[in-house]
Every structure is written in structure tokens, then in C-alpha cells.
Amino acid sequence: MITQQRYIYFQKNVKALNYFLLIGFFLYLEYLFANVLVEYFNRYTYSFDLFKYLETKALFILLLIYLQNTKPSNFIYGISFLLIIFFLIPNMIIFEFMDAPRIIIYGIIYSIILTLTLNPGKFTIYFPEISRQNHILGMIVITIAMLVPCILAYGINLHYDLFLFNTENVYGVRAGNMARETFLSSYFNSWLAKVALPVLMVYGMLRNEKSLVIFSIACLLYLFLVGAHKSVFLTIFVVLFLRFFKNYQTKIFFLLLSLFFLFYLSRMVTIMLDNNMLESIVLRRTFFDPAVSNIYYMDFFKNTPIYLSQSLLKDLITYPFLEAPEKIISTIYFDSPKGNANNGLISDAYMNFGVIGIFAYGFLFALLIKIFESIKMHHSFFGIFFVIIYTFISSFFLTTLLSHGVLLFLLIGLLFLKDSQEKFYLQTK
């Protein structure tokens, strides 16, 4: 009885707990940046500016008050927290302690506010009605149709040593993988890893179809062992972790707790083993590399917006550089000619259209999220949205829509997952 009472009390107060945890997360991430990241990685500098510090804190508190008073849907609540945790806070810290343009954090806040408040009106996207009995068959057919070209391209040469996460092995396998890939496999690989297989895995768990879950995990492991992308391996755990818990508020609570634990664990590994690889992945690459890259993109392209000449409008507008943007930034700012400094929404928007692009892309992003909200998917698919949100932060906008499968997820949602939070055959809440 006491346990049940405590659980009810927790559910009533989890939103308030999330706000306190979020504030603590911001302060702790500031501490790690100033005392860990700056010490170990020379691409980061520390210069305290009291006015910027107070400015970010005021904006942060005002945004939380706005979020609380707006009372968004549970789905938008969850998406907003993801944007604040992985997008806003790291860029605020970079703004506080490095010479970052102010437009970055204001552009992110604008995107979050639009996500909270945008009302596109009533609209309906008509798609053929597929009976519930054919949902599993349809998703399996789509998955296998994409999986076959990948197997034909990459074969079954599995690199089990990738589980050691040795950097040389990873990049060596990736190079061989890229040499073998075809046009179809390059697209299908990402679509499978980020959308199709995670959807099938969660759907199988909701329908208690264990064979679907095992098949999906096995295929994800296959893609990891032939392609060496750590994100594919981590997607399994992220999607499984966020599939559980009763609602979006509880998912955010345990996500924040798990991040605190990962920070602590990676710190202990660095101290005890004198190896900061885990800390580099958890802290630097996940949170701060995309944020610091925003500075570099805005510095390089401040006088030469490229107006999609490297992608959608390449046949109409001449691209002014010899190499792709991600290659240029990697070479000049990261001293890594072989690298690809991909980056997300803010960098892409500014690179193509300057300041106006930041507000235009922010609107398009918020509109897309609102369309996903209208589908009313079951909350168990939240882990896939986690992957998608982070992809928007670390990849170009059009690339995320097409190459990384966001439009595919939209299609699958409309065909198979629409109103699934209300359907009787998905019993979890």
C-alpha cells in the first residue's frame, strides 16, 4: 500500500521533479565543461562573461515558465525537453564561455517556442486505410525490401571486434563499408537503423510478438557489425529504454537520471583507467561538438551563404567552393582533412540563408513536429523521436528528412501507427 501511495505521489509530482532535474543538469553540464572538457580538449576555451551568464540563466528560467504555462500535449512536452537537454543547454554553455554568436541561442529558443505554440489549424492527410491484421505484414515487407540490398552490398562479413569500440577498427571498417555500398544500400542502411527496425522492434513488444523483437535487434546488430556506426548499436538501448515507463513525463525523468549516471560513470572511468574515451563520447561528441560547430559554420559562411547550391538547387545555383561544407569545416577548424564535420539545424540554416534561414528552418521544424503530433502515435515510440531529434541537431535539414528517414517515419506513422495511442490492441499507456 505504501509503495502504491509513493508511486501515485511520484506521478503527481514528476513534472515538477523534471524541472528541478533540468536546472541541475544545466548547472552540472556547465561544471563539466569548465572543469573537464576545457582541460582535455583544446578545441574548447573558457572565458567567463558575467553578463552572458546572467542572460542565459534569465532566458532559461523564462522558457521553463513559458513551458509550464503553455501546458502542451504530452508528446510536445517530451519533444521540448529533448530540445532543451540536447540542443539549447549545450549551446547556452558555449555562448557563456566561448565567443559564440547570440543568434544561435535565440534561434533555438524561437524553434522551441514555435514547437510549443504553433497551431497549423485542422488538416488531414489522407492515406489508404490498412487493416490491423496487415500492419505487421506491411512493416515486415518494407523492412525486408530495404534489408536485401544492404545484405547484397555488405555481405555477411561481421566484425565482432567492433564491440571493443577501438577507434582504428571502427574507421577501417567504415572505409571498407563505404567502398562496397550502392546507391540503394546507402539510403536503406540509415532508414533501417533509425526508423524501420526500431519501429518494428517496439511494435513487436507492444503486440507481444517476440520474434519481431529478436529479428529487429538481430538486424540492427548486423548493420552495426558491417558498418561500424556506434549510433546504430546505441539506438537499440535508447529505443528499448524509452519504450518503457508509463508516460512522457516519466520517460524524461529517467532520461535525466540516466544522463547524470553516465556523466558520473564516464568521469570515474577517466580517473581510474586514465582513459577518457567514454567521457569523450558521452560529453564531448554528444553535447558539445554540435554546439561548437555552430560557431565554426557561422564564422565561415557569414559572408557567403550558399542557397542550397550543394544540394537541392545545385543545378540552378553554382556552388562557390571546391569541397563540401562538412569537409571544409573539418579541415579548417578541426584540422582533420579526412573528417566530415556534419552539423544540424542552426548551422545548415545559416550556411544556406543567413539569419533569415534560422527562423525559416525553425518554422519548418516546428511544423514537422506538429504533423507528427497529429498522428498520435503511442508513447512507446518516443525513443525513435529521440534519435530523430538528435539527428536534426547533428545533420543537415534536408539530409535528415531524406537520407536519415524522417519522411519514411512519417509515412510509416500515417500507414501503420496513426491513433495507435488510442487503439485497443496497444494496451500500454
Side-chain angles (χ1 to χ4, degrees):
M1 185 67 176
I2 296 176
T3 303
Q4 181 67 16
Q5 288 177 341
R6 287 180 177 177
Y7 179 75
I8 293 172
Y9 178 81
F10 167 75
Q11 287 297 324
K12 287 182 177 179
N13 294 278
V14 66
K15 280 191 175 182
L17 290 171
N18 284 344
Y19 287 116
F20 283 113
L21 279 176
L22 191 63
I23 293 169
F25 175 82
F26 192 173
L27 297 175
Y28 188 47
L29 202 59
E30 280 182 335
Y31 169 81
L32 292 175
F33 178 86
N35 294 277
V36 176
L37 224 62
V38 172
E39 177 183 351
Y40 283 100
F41 305 101
N42 58 15
R43 73 184 56 168
Y44 302 102
T45 58
Y46 178 83
S47 177
F48 182 78
D49 185 312
L50 180 60
F51 181 79
K52 285 185 172 182
Y53 188 83
L54 294 176
E55 181 181 2
T56 58
K57 294 301 176 291
L59 289 170
F60 186 69
I61 296 301
L62 288 172
L63 180 63
L64 295 191
I65 293 172
Y66 187 79
L67 173 59
Q68 171 64 19
N69 290 334
T70 304
K71 294 181 172 55
S73 69
N74 290 329
F75 172 75
I76 295 297
Y77 172 92
I79 294 296
S80 298
F81 263 81
L82 292 182
L83 291 172
I84 292 170
I85 292 167
F86 293 97
F87 200 15
L88 180 61
I89 290 177
N91 280 280
M92 278 188 160
I93 293 172
I94 293 293
F95 172 73
E96 289 172 345
F97 301 136
M98 294 179 66
D99 189 21
R102 187 170 270 101
I103 186 61
I104 294 174
I105 60 169
Y106 282 90
I108 296 170
I109 291 172
Y110 160 81
S111 299
I112 295 172
I113 290 175
L114 268 186
T115 301
L116 287 168
T117 59
L118 183 65
N119 183 9
K122 293 184 179 180
F123 61 92
T124 304
I125 302 176
Y126 294 99
F127 262 76
E129 183 72 21
I130 298 177
S131 66
R132 292 194 297 271
Q133 293 77 10
N134 291 326
H135 281 185
I136 292 178
L137 177 61
M139 286 190 283
I140 290 175
V141 169
I142 291 173
T143 300
I144 292 178
M146 291 189 288
L147 188 62
V148 170
C150 292
I151 295 174
L152 292 176
Y154 308 131
I156 54 173
N157 185 22
L158 306 181
H159 302 271
Y160 295 103
D161 54 346
L162 289 172
F163 286 121
L164 301 174
F165 294 101
N166 181 283
T167 302
E168 291 185 7
N169 289 344
V170 167
Y171 288 113
V173 172
R174 283 186 191 175
N177 177 277
M178 290 179 66
R180 293 191 299 271
E181 71 181 11
T182 63
F183 173 80
L184 287 178
S185 68
S186 65
Y187 272 92
F188 290 166
N189 189 336
S190 184
W191 292 1
L192 285 164
K194 288 183 168 65
V195 176
L197 290 169
V199 166
L200 198 61
M201 179 170 62
V202 173
Y203 196 90
M205 297 177 75
L206 290 171
R207 294 292 303 272
N208 198 29
E209 297 282 352
K210 295 180 181 179
S211 58
L212 284 184
V213 179
I214 294 171
F215 172 76
S216 303
I217 293 175
C219 290
L220 284 167
L221 288 174
Y222 164 77
L223 293 177
F224 168 66
L225 293 175
V226 298
H229 290 283
K230 294 185 287 290
S231 61
V232 176
F233 183 71
L234 294 174
T235 293
I236 300 172
F237 298 97
V238 169
V239 172
L240 287 176
F241 178 73
L242 291 176
R243 172 264 182 273
F244 295 101
F245 310 117
K246 185 176 180 179
N247 51 46
Y248 289 102
Q249 293 82 5
T250 309
K251 293 177 195 290
I252 294 297
F253 177 82
F254 284 102
L255 174 63
L256 283 165
L257 284 185
S258 67
L259 289 173
F260 278 111
F261 172 74
L262 283 173
F263 290 154
Y264 175 78
L265 176 63
S266 60
R267 187 88 284 262
M268 290 301 100
V269 169
T270 299
I271 293 171
M272 292 189 295
L273 302 181
D274 193 27
N275 185 327
N276 66 354
M277 184 185 72
L278 179 61
E279 199 160 43
S280 176
I281 294 172
V282 172
L283 189 61
R284 177 183 66 84
R285 295 189 63 179
T286 302
F287 289 94
F288 289 107
D289 271 3
V292 80
S293 292
N294 284 327
I295 302 176
Y296 301 151
Y297 271 86
M298 296 188 81
D299 178 63
F300 186 84
F301 292 101
K302 60 186 174 184
N303 296 317
T304 54
I306 60 176
Y307 303 109
L308 298 176
S309 58
Q310 90 290 5
S311 57
L312 189 64
L313 302 181
K314 61 184 178 181
D315 294 327
L316 301 176
I317 302 173
T318 302
Y319 180 63
F321 303 104
L322 295 177
E323 292 190 312
E326 59 271 25
K327 283 288 185 184
I328 295 172
I329 301 302
S330 181
T331 301
I332 295 176
Y333 295 96
F334 292 102
D335 193 26
S336 177
K338 295 183 179 180
N340 288 293
N342 294 305
N343 216 39
L345 197 67
I346 296 293
S347 297
D348 187 19
Y350 187 85
M351 172 183 72
N352 283 293
F353 300 105
V355 173
I356 294 175
I358 293 176
F359 294 99
Y361 276 43
F363 173 81
L364 292 174
F365 172 80
L367 180 62
L368 180 68
I369 295 300
K370 288 295 183 177
I371 294 172
F372 272 113
E373 181 189 22
S374 71
I375 295 175
K376 298 179 181 179
M377 292 187 202
H378 196 272
H379 68 74
S380 293
F381 296 98
F382 188 56
I384 303 168
F385 284 102
F386 175 100
V387 174
I388 285 174
I389 291 297
Y390 193 78
T391 305
F392 271 113
I393 294 170
S394 56
S395 297
F396 296 145
F397 186 76
L398 290 177
T399 303
T400 301
L401 292 178
L402 300 173
S403 300
H404 293 301
V406 172
L407 293 183
L408 173 68
F409 188 34
L410 183 62
L411 176 64
I412 289 176
L414 289 165
L415 288 174
F416 306 115
L417 308 176
K418 187 171 173 55
D419 297 322
S420 57
Q421 66 184 17
E422 301 172 357
K423 296 288 180 68
F424 71 91
Y425 60 93
L426 295 178
Q427 296 296 327
T428 56
K429 297 182 180 178

